[in-house]
Amino acid sequence: MNPSDKSIQTMAQSVTGGVAAMAQHLGYPSKAAFDNRLYRVKGQRFCIDDALAMQTIAGRSDFAQAVAAESGGVFVALPGVDYAEEDIQAAFMSLSETVGALVTEWRDATEDGELNPAEERRLRAIKQRLCGQAAAIIELTRRYY
């Protein structure tokens, strides 16, 4: 199962009432019709609009994250509220701390001359945080100024 299919299954099951509730939210005539797409019966799939609607209904970003990862990138959720200049400065400090964490993790991971899957996952997680923090700083700055 590819990451975007897995993300759709996760989102479909994450709402109160589960898959049946998601099917109803999206206006499917039956849970069976929804399940056929959810489990790709005879090649049926959800359209992108349905996947995006599931994201909104579930209040999650699983599909966007999966698409970004499959495309070799990262998904960065931008903050939804405005901040004062002091908060932007605090975000810069947090970004600096995350850069420090990346340096430390990179040194630890490469110390033995190898990069194992767990080390790579930790480095990628820090990369995701860094990208998100940098994008948030830029967006907050744009909104503030």
Side-chain angles (χ1 to χ4, degrees):
M1 175 183 317
N2 69 40
S4 59
D5 288 341
K6 184 175 180 180
S7 71
I8 288 171
Q9 287 185 1
T10 299
M11 291 185 305
Q13 297 166 359
S14 71
V15 295
T16 302
V19 173
M22 184 63 82
Q24 187 176 18
H25 280 300
L26 291 174
Y28 277 82
S30 68
K31 181 180 175 294
F34 185 85
D35 283 347
N36 287 343
R37 286 167 182 77
L38 187 62
Y39 300 108
R40 299 186 70 177
V41 174
K42 295 183 181 179
Q44 295 181 59
R45 300 182 72 163
F46 288 106
C47 67
I48 292 173
D49 289 342
D50 281 349
L52 293 173
M54 278 190 247
Q55 251 187 189
T56 301
I57 292 164
R60 301 171 60 111
S61 60
D62 300 62
F63 182 67
Q65 291 176 32
V67 170
E70 288 178 37
S71 302
V74 295
F75 170 76
V76 177
L78 297 175
V81 296
D82 293 330
Y83 291 92
E85 187 175 0
E86 298 81 31
D87 295 316
I88 297 170
Q89 291 170 0
F92 267 111
M93 294 305 295
S94 181
L95 177 69
S96 297
E97 291 168 358
T98 304
V99 169
L102 177 61
V103 170
T104 299
E105 184 61 40
W106 183 85
R107 283 183 182 152
D108 292 346
T110 60
E111 186 174 47
D112 61 359
E114 297 178 12
L115 184 66
N116 67 44
E119 292 166 336
E120 183 177 356
R121 279 191 302 278
R122 288 192 299 269
L123 288 170
R124 289 185 184 278
I126 295 170
K127 175 189 78 168
Q128 179 73 26
R129 276 199 336 257
L130 275 172
C131 290
Q133 289 172 324
I137 288 168
I138 292 166
E139 180 63 17
L140 291 171
T141 301
R142 183 191 66 78
R143 290 178 189 176
Y144 184 77
Y145 292 98

